[in-house]
Every structure is written in C-alpha cells, then in structure tokens.
Amino acid sequence: MTDRQMAQKQQAGEFAATLITDGMIVGLGTGSTVRFFIEALADRINSEGLDITGVTTSNKTSSLAKSWGIKLASVDEVSKIDLTIDGADEVDHQLNGIKGGGAALLFEKIVALNSAKNIWIIDESKYHDVIGQFPLPVEVVPYGSHQLLQRFLAADMQPTFRRTMTGERVTTDAGNYIIDLHLDRIAYPKSLAYFLEQTVGVVEHGLFLDTVDEVIIGGNQPTLISNTKPSC
C-alpha cells in the first residue's frame, strides 16, 4: 500500500466522521479505511459528548470500537440503523461493489440492508470502470465446500480457498469458509449474483449491488459520488 493510498484512506475516514450527528445509530464496517473512521468518530464522541450507538459488522470491528469506548448494540437490538459507514474492495462507476476482503461480507450485507443509508469510504485505487480485478469472495458452508470449489472450477471461475498465513482455511465470524473467485472482469454482476444465490452451499457473496447511496473517495478535498440510479 502506498503512502498516497494510506493518506486517502485516512482522509475518507475522517471526512465520513463529520457526517455523524448526535443520537445516531451507526453501522460500523470492517477494514483499514473504517479504522480511520472509527478513530475519528471516537474523538468526536469524546470531545463533543455525542450520544452514538454503533452496530458492528465483525468481531474485529467490535474489539476496535470497544477499545475506543464506543457504545455498541447488535443488529437485533436496534429498531433501525441511521447510517452505515463501510469500506469497499472495488467500486465501479455504477456504484456496484465488491466487498469481503476482510471476510466480513455476510455481516456487512446484513447491516447494510438494515440501514437507512449506506456510505462507502475508499481510496482512488478502488474505483474502476468495471469490477472484478479484486477476487470476489463467496462465503460457503464447510460441508460440501470442496464440491463447490470443483463446481466453480468447472465454470472457469478460478476459485481458491482463502487461507491464513499458516495455510489454514480462513473461517468467518459465522464459522464458514471463503472461496475467492479470480474473475478479472465482471461484465454482468447481476447475472453472476443470481447464479451464486441459486447455488446450494453458498451463504453469501461479495457483490453489493444497488446497496450504497454515496461513495467517498479520499483526497485533500474528498470526492463524494452519489448513486443516481432510480430506485425500484
């Protein structure tokens, strides 16, 4: 990661923290850019006395938020989530996204779908004409996961189990495995999403379509891109 990317992550995260207002229930995403947001949000809570409740998308985010003294609740303990701030691994010009590089895609999607508004914070390297350069995460149940890998292999999706540094299969907070699909280019994301959703053993996939309302790209003056697609 370059110094420029790191600076843009911090700029995007800190700008997003300025959008939070007193009394909000805020979805807290997962990842390196969200870390900057959480730290900046904690500073505002402490300095301004904001009453904020966070709903987290991973155990890692929960630990980070608790370490900064942010009050937390589970998604099932709140009646609504006002705004979720999360990162993204890749975003196209139609604001389709790939998420799940932190293996939190299932919980991220649950929180996103229960949020009145979703904002993603990214550096400019994540913004592309077409998504697919970042491997697409697919969360699968362990039972039969090798058979799923073979099915994706037969479909020429270049699948690999995500593994830890010691070679073990990565396990999500829900106890599932991640299969990464190395596709290079996803020309028809909705068709691919439908295929994955119809595949038995797939718990969730990392295509986030028609989900985000705004994307913030870090910079000295962060760029805000709004989703102008008609709702249906």
Side-chain angles (χ1 to χ4, degrees):
M1 184 182 302
T2 66
D3 290 342
R4 178 182 176 85
Q5 287 174 304
M6 185 63 72
Q8 289 182 345
K9 287 173 179 284
Q10 183 171 358
Q11 291 156 348
E14 291 178 351
F15 179 77
T18 69
L19 305 178
I20 306 304
T21 58
D22 188 46
M24 271 190 171
I25 297 175
V26 182
L28 306 177
T30 297
S32 57
T33 312
V34 172
R35 173 179 287 272
F36 288 116
F37 164 70
I38 290 174
E39 292 173 357
L41 177 60
D43 285 342
R44 286 198 61 206
I45 291 172
N46 293 329
S47 63
E48 301 174 34
L50 299 181
D51 180 17
I52 300 297
T53 300
V55 177
T56 65
T57 56
S58 66
N59 293 338
K60 185 178 293 185
T61 296
S62 294
S63 296
L64 177 63
K66 287 177 182 177
S67 73
W68 283 97
I70 298 176
K71 179 175 60 176
L72 299 180
S74 78
V75 69
D76 289 320
E77 293 174 332
V78 299
S79 60
K80 64 173 182 176
I81 300 171
D82 297 297
L83 171 62
T84 288
I85 304 292
D86 205 348
D89 298 300
E90 199 172 12
V91 183
D92 69 16
H93 293 172
Q94 288 72 48
L95 301 192
N96 298 308
I98 290 178
K99 291 171 49 56
L105 61 155
L106 174 60
F107 291 1
E108 287 174 337
K109 195 167 283 190
I110 290 172
V111 170
L113 292 177
N114 286 282
S115 299
K117 185 174 183 179
N118 288 280
I119 295 178
W120 292 342
I121 48 178
I122 62 172
D123 65 84
E124 63 184 5
S125 72
K126 306 291 182 64
Y127 191 52
H128 299 148
D129 291 337
V130 179
I131 56 175
Q133 295 180 37
F134 190 90
L136 176 64
V138 180
E139 185 162 346
V140 303
V141 295
Y143 185 79
S145 57
H146 180 73
Q147 298 297 335
L148 273 177
L149 185 81
Q150 295 303 309
R151 181 171 184 180
F152 295 147
L153 187 64
D156 198 27
M157 292 181 171
Q158 306 300 314
T160 57
F161 281 109
R162 190 179 300 180
R163 297 187 181 274
T164 67
M165 295 294 291
T166 57
E168 301 296 321
R169 291 182 185 176
V170 166
T171 303
T172 69
D173 288 348
N176 299 312
Y177 293 154
I178 297 287
I179 294 177
D180 289 314
L181 306 180
H182 302 262
L183 302 170
D184 295 327
R185 179 183 177 87
I186 302 175
Y188 303 101
K190 288 190 176 181
S191 296
L192 178 57
Y194 180 80
F195 166 76
L196 293 171
E197 288 159 6
Q198 301 304 307
T199 302
V200 176
V202 169
V203 177
E204 192 51 82
H205 57 78
L207 286 168
F208 281 61
L209 312 177
D210 302 317
T211 300
V212 71
D213 298 287
E214 295 174 346
V215 173
I216 297 169
I217 303 176
N220 291 329
Q221 293 183 326
T223 300
L224 190 148
I225 303 170
S226 295
N227 190 341
T228 57
K229 291 184 290 188
S231 60
C232 56

mmCIF file with all atom_site columns, all heavy atoms in Angstrom, residues 4 29 42 116 146 159 171 225:
data_model
loop_
_atom_site.group_PDB
_atom_site.id
_atom_site.type_symbol
_atom_site.label_atom_id
_atom_site.label_alt_id
_atom_site.label_comp_id
_atom_site.label_asym_id
_atom_site.label_entity_id
_atom_site.label_seq_id
_atom_site.pdbx_PDB_ins_code
_atom_site.Cartn_x
_atom_site.Cartn_y
_atom_site.Cartn_z
_atom_site.occupancy
_atom_site.B_iso_or_equiv
_atom_site.pdbx_formal_charge
_atom_site.auth_seq_id
_atom_site.auth_comp_id
_atom_site.auth_asym_id
_atom_site.auth_atom_id
_atom_site.pdbx_PDB_model_num
ATOM 1  N N   . ARG A 1 4   ? 0.228   7.389   -0.533 1.00 0.00 ? 4   ARG A N   1
ATOM 2  C CA  . ARG A 1 4   ? -0.908  8.114   -1.077 1.00 0.00 ? 4   ARG A CA  1
ATOM 3  C C   . ARG A 1 4   ? -2.218  7.388   -0.755 1.00 0.00 ? 4   ARG A C   1
ATOM 4  O O   . ARG A 1 4   ? -3.199  8.015   -0.356 1.00 0.00 ? 4   ARG A O   1
ATOM 5  C CB  . ARG A 1 4   ? -0.745  8.275   -2.592 1.00 0.00 ? 4   ARG A CB  1
ATOM 6  C CG  . ARG A 1 4   ? -1.907  8.994   -3.279 1.00 0.00 ? 4   ARG A CG  1
ATOM 7  C CD  . ARG A 1 4   ? -1.672  9.066   -4.787 1.00 0.00 ? 4   ARG A CD  1
ATOM 8  N NE  . ARG A 1 4   ? -2.790  9.651   -5.492 1.00 0.00 ? 4   ARG A NE  1
ATOM 9  C CZ  . ARG A 1 4   ? -2.972  10.948  -5.663 1.00 0.00 ? 4   ARG A CZ  1
ATOM 10 N NH1 . ARG A 1 4   ? -2.086  11.805  -5.166 1.00 0.00 ? 4   ARG A NH1 1
ATOM 11 N NH2 . ARG A 1 4   ? -4.024  11.400  -6.334 1.00 0.00 ? 4   ARG A NH2 1
ATOM 12 N N   . GLY A 1 29  ? -18.462 -0.526  9.666  1.00 0.00 ? 29  GLY A N   1
ATOM 13 C CA  . GLY A 1 29  ? -17.958 -1.548  8.767  1.00 0.00 ? 29  GLY A CA  1
ATOM 14 C C   . GLY A 1 29  ? -16.654 -2.157  9.241  1.00 0.00 ? 29  GLY A C   1
ATOM 15 O O   . GLY A 1 29  ? -16.255 -2.010  10.398 1.00 0.00 ? 29  GLY A O   1
ATOM 16 N N   . ALA A 1 42  ? -14.658 8.329   17.428 1.00 0.00 ? 42  ALA A N   1
ATOM 17 C CA  . ALA A 1 42  ? -14.412 8.276   18.872 1.00 0.00 ? 42  ALA A CA  1
ATOM 18 C C   . ALA A 1 42  ? -13.912 9.625   19.390 1.00 0.00 ? 42  ALA A C   1
ATOM 19 O O   . ALA A 1 42  ? -14.306 10.065  20.484 1.00 0.00 ? 42  ALA A O   1
ATOM 20 C CB  . ALA A 1 42  ? -13.406 7.174   19.186 1.00 0.00 ? 42  ALA A CB  1
ATOM 21 N N   . ALA A 1 116 ? -30.776 2.792   6.855  1.00 0.00 ? 116 ALA A N   1
ATOM 22 C CA  . ALA A 1 116 ? -31.499 3.780   6.063  1.00 0.00 ? 116 ALA A CA  1
ATOM 23 C C   . ALA A 1 116 ? -30.604 4.369   4.975  1.00 0.00 ? 116 ALA A C   1
ATOM 24 O O   . ALA A 1 116 ? -31.088 4.741   3.900  1.00 0.00 ? 116 ALA A O   1
ATOM 25 C CB  . ALA A 1 116 ? -32.019 4.895   6.965  1.00 0.00 ? 116 ALA A CB  1
ATOM 26 N N   . HIS A 1 146 ? -15.628 -28.416 -0.771 1.00 0.00 ? 146 HIS A N   1
ATOM 27 C CA  . HIS A 1 146 ? -14.731 -28.865 -1.840 1.00 0.00 ? 146 HIS A CA  1
ATOM 28 C C   . HIS A 1 146 ? -15.516 -29.113 -3.127 1.00 0.00 ? 146 HIS A C   1
ATOM 29 O O   . HIS A 1 146 ? -15.022 -28.825 -4.229 1.00 0.00 ? 146 HIS A O   1
ATOM 30 C CB  . HIS A 1 146 ? -14.000 -30.138 -1.417 1.00 0.00 ? 146 HIS A CB  1
ATOM 31 C CG  . HIS A 1 146 ? -13.060 -30.654 -2.468 1.00 0.00 ? 146 HIS A CG  1
ATOM 32 N ND1 . HIS A 1 146 ? -11.855 -30.038 -2.750 1.00 0.00 ? 146 HIS A ND1 1
ATOM 33 C CD2 . HIS A 1 146 ? -13.159 -31.713 -3.320 1.00 0.00 ? 146 HIS A CD2 1
ATOM 34 C CE1 . HIS A 1 146 ? -11.257 -30.700 -3.738 1.00 0.00 ? 146 HIS A CE1 1
ATOM 35 N NE2 . HIS A 1 146 ? -12.027 -31.717 -4.089 1.00 0.00 ? 146 HIS A NE2 1
ATOM 36 N N   . PRO A 1 159 ? -11.331 -20.533 -8.796 1.00 0.00 ? 159 PRO A N   1
ATOM 37 C CA  . PRO A 1 159 ? -11.600 -20.429 -7.363 1.00 0.00 ? 159 PRO A CA  1
ATOM 38 C C   . PRO A 1 159 ? -10.420 -20.898 -6.509 1.00 0.00 ? 159 PRO A C   1
ATOM 39 O O   . PRO A 1 159 ? -9.669  -21.811 -6.893 1.00 0.00 ? 159 PRO A O   1
ATOM 40 C CB  . PRO A 1 159 ? -12.782 -21.377 -7.180 1.00 0.00 ? 159 PRO A CB  1
ATOM 41 C CG  . PRO A 1 159 ? -12.536 -22.457 -8.200 1.00 0.00 ? 159 PRO A CG  1
ATOM 42 C CD  . PRO A 1 159 ? -11.928 -21.754 -9.387 1.00 0.00 ? 159 PRO A CD  1
ATOM 43 N N   . THR A 1 171 ? -11.719 -18.848 8.418  1.00 0.00 ? 171 THR A N   1
ATOM 44 C CA  . THR A 1 171 ? -13.064 -19.078 8.929  1.00 0.00 ? 171 THR A CA  1
ATOM 45 C C   . THR A 1 171 ? -13.693 -17.739 9.292  1.00 0.00 ? 171 THR A C   1
ATOM 46 O O   . THR A 1 171 ? -13.085 -16.941 9.997  1.00 0.00 ? 171 THR A O   1
ATOM 47 C CB  . THR A 1 171 ? -13.041 -19.989 10.172 1.00 0.00 ? 171 THR A CB  1
ATOM 48 O OG1 . THR A 1 171 ? -12.403 -21.229 9.835  1.00 0.00 ? 171 THR A OG1 1
ATOM 49 C CG2 . THR A 1 171 ? -14.440 -20.275 10.664 1.00 0.00 ? 171 THR A CG2 1
ATOM 50 N N   . ILE A 1 225 ? -19.476 10.776  -4.410 1.00 0.00 ? 225 ILE A N   1
ATOM 51 C CA  . ILE A 1 225 ? -20.235 10.338  -5.573 1.00 0.00 ? 225 ILE A CA  1
ATOM 52 C C   . ILE A 1 225 ? -21.552 9.763   -5.088 1.00 0.00 ? 225 ILE A C   1
ATOM 53 O O   . ILE A 1 225 ? -21.573 8.850   -4.258 1.00 0.00 ? 225 ILE A O   1
ATOM 54 C CB  . ILE A 1 225 ? -19.454 9.272   -6.362 1.00 0.00 ? 225 ILE A CB  1
ATOM 55 C CG1 . ILE A 1 225 ? -18.081 9.816   -6.779 1.00 0.00 ? 225 ILE A CG1 1
ATOM 56 C CG2 . ILE A 1 225 ? -20.245 8.837   -7.596 1.00 0.00 ? 225 ILE A CG2 1
ATOM 57 C CD1 . ILE A 1 225 ? -17.167 8.757   -7.351 1.00 0.00 ? 225 ILE A CD1 1
#
